[in-house]
Amino acid sequence: MQQLICHQTGESYPLDSPIWRSESGGILDIEFDGAFDPMEILTRPPGLWRYHEALPISNPEDRITLGEVLTPIVRLVDGKHTIETKLDYLFPSGSYKDRGATLLMSQARALGIESVVQDSSGNAGAAIATYAAVAGIECEIFVPDSTSPAKLDQMRACGATLTLVPGSREDTANAAFLAAKDRYYASHVWNPFFLQGTKTFAFEIAEQRGWILPDTLVLPAGNGTLLLGAWIGFVELKQMGIVNKIPKLIGVQAANCAPLVEAWRRSSAEPISIATSSTVAEGIAIAEPRRGAQMILAVKQSGGHMIEVEEEEIIDSLRWLCARGLFVEPTSAAVMAGARQYVSTAPADEEVLTVLTGHGLKAASKIQSLVSKK
Ligand SMILES: Cc1ncc(COP(=O)(O)O)c(C=O)c1O
């Protein structure tokens, strides 16, 4: 079975429909029962396209790829714990969003799309701009006017047209949503092909660990691009009979913007509307996550929970990472702060894996001022 399904109403559409939401305006998911052979893939170059039988892009001619690498996993010691850390900031555009962008722009090419619109706190826009350049597809990216200058430069350099939107991240999403009325929305939130790319995060972890998954994964919880992708990937690995358990998913939010943590506290299935204040973790500063209910459900079904980190914990982890040669964005430091907070009360033998999502060069001067602050 291969189809697009409306999450709200269950309406279905052929997989090659040039749509990014259902007729009733609902969010779409993809039903796709591809499977790869763990022995067969070993004969192929490393990187996410080696799992192509499990990816919904059938024609190799349609692939928009920059030879994405298999990102390494390093082991970081924090007290009596070891935190396995996957270095997803080492993708071509400097963030894990390339996983989703390579799939989504491949689908755009397969559909013959000539122009896309996207909105972003920076990294998803940079990834879409990068792969749009490879595909020769025109793109317009909406970004908050507070976005890190290096990310704006990166998108412009790749040929994207930028529209800077004053106000919150939600104001930017609303502006892009309106612009997407008559264009293909290459949204990492709305467009379900993005999650088909980020699910390869789960495949890689499984392969790199000899098809034995860790007990727990600590992941960012902004719009859930990675968390939901990982969940889909683990569920599919189980369906393929390659693994027999799914790790516990722990979603990390900044305490200054934590609608999912609040929902968790109140046992709500939907994100809770909350007052927010600014955070250095710009990538997870999402007050109204569109797929929030799906994120809560995935975390719950995995046996995990949501946690929040204070600004001081983020800055402390940024220093901790820099001191280990890991120069990453403050948003990535927030996730590491979550992992360190989590392991501080976990049994020493619990296998915990986390991820560093965004390259520090995108926010170098901000990082410098944060790590040197007393
Ligand atoms: C560096 C970085 N990490 C994490 C995230 C969190 O996003 P999500 O929850 O959608 O995976 C973002 C989003 O833009 C990001 O830029």
Side-chain angles (χ1 to χ4, degrees), residues 96-97 121 123 188 220-226 283-284 329 331-332 357-358:
Y96 74 104
K97 302 274 189 192
S121 65
N123 282 327
H188 55 295
N223 270 311
T225 321
L226 190 58
I284 49 172
E329 282 189 53
T331 304
S332 298
T357 46

Side-chain angles (χ1 to χ4, degrees), residues 113-359:
I113 302 282
E114 290 175 358
S115 167
V116 299
V117 58
Q118 154 72 319
D119 64 284
S120 170
S121 65
N123 282 327
I128 291 293
T130 299
Y131 285 82
V134 182
I137 292 177
E138 203 180 83
C139 86
E140 180 179 6
I141 315 276
F142 288 73
V143 279
D145 60 1
S146 55
T147 303
S148 298
K151 293 180 187 170
L152 300 178
D153 289 342
Q154 184 181 6
M155 289 182 253
R156 281 198 190 100
C158 289
T161 304
L162 295 195
T163 300
L164 271 62
V165 183
S168 69
R169 177 67 184 83
E170 281 63 43
D171 294 326
T172 299
N174 292 337
F177 188 83
L178 289 178
K181 279 219 155 67
D182 51 7
R183 267 183 289 169
Y184 192 66
Y185 197 9
S187 165
H188 55 295
V189 183
W190 278 90
N191 198 308
F193 279 89
F194 208 94
L195 299 180
Q196 291 294 308
T198 54
K199 79 182 184 187
T200 60
F201 179 74
F203 297 168
E204 285 181 16
I205 289 171
E207 183 186 344
Q208 284 170 294
R209 301 181 90 260
W211 309 109
I212 296 167
L213 293 174
D215 298 309
T216 306
L217 247 78
V218 182
L219 297 174
N223 270 311
T225 321
L226 190 58
L227 190 145
L228 289 173
W231 170 250
I232 294 169
F234 290 129
V235 169
E236 289 186 3
L237 285 171
K238 198 155 175 241
Q239 282 162 354
M240 288 178 224
I242 294 175
V243 301
N244 54 18
K245 67 159 193 185
I246 291 183
K248 209 158 59 173
L249 301 183
I250 307 295
V252 182
Q253 300 212 289
N256 285 356
C257 186
L260 300 172
V261 174
E262 194 51 34
W264 197 263
R265 255 187 221 121
R266 298 199 213 166
S267 304
S268 164
E270 299 280 340
I272 303 275
S273 182
I274 37 121
T276 61
S277 48
S278 74
T279 168
V280 294
E282 64 183 10
I284 49 172
I286 310 294
E288 295 167 22
R290 190 68 191 71
R291 291 188 187 263
Q294 284 180 304
M295 294 165 74
I296 292 170
L297 187 63
V299 165
K300 196 168 169 191
Q301 288 184 340
S302 75
H305 59 270
M306 299 283 180
I307 58 177
E308 62 186 354
V309 290
E310 301 293 342
E311 295 298 289
E312 307 79 69
E313 290 179 86
I314 302 174
I315 296 167
D316 177 63
S317 282
L318 188 61
R319 287 197 193 101
W320 189 83
L321 286 164
C322 285
R324 285 157 181 76
L326 295 158
F327 187 59
V328 291
E329 282 189 53
T331 304
S332 298
V335 182
M336 182 53 78
R340 295 175 69 204
Q341 185 193 106
Y342 179 82
V343 297
S344 69
T345 57
D349 61 352
E350 183 171 332
E351 293 179 350
V352 178
L353 188 145
T354 192
V355 59
L356 297 178
T357 46
H359 206 298

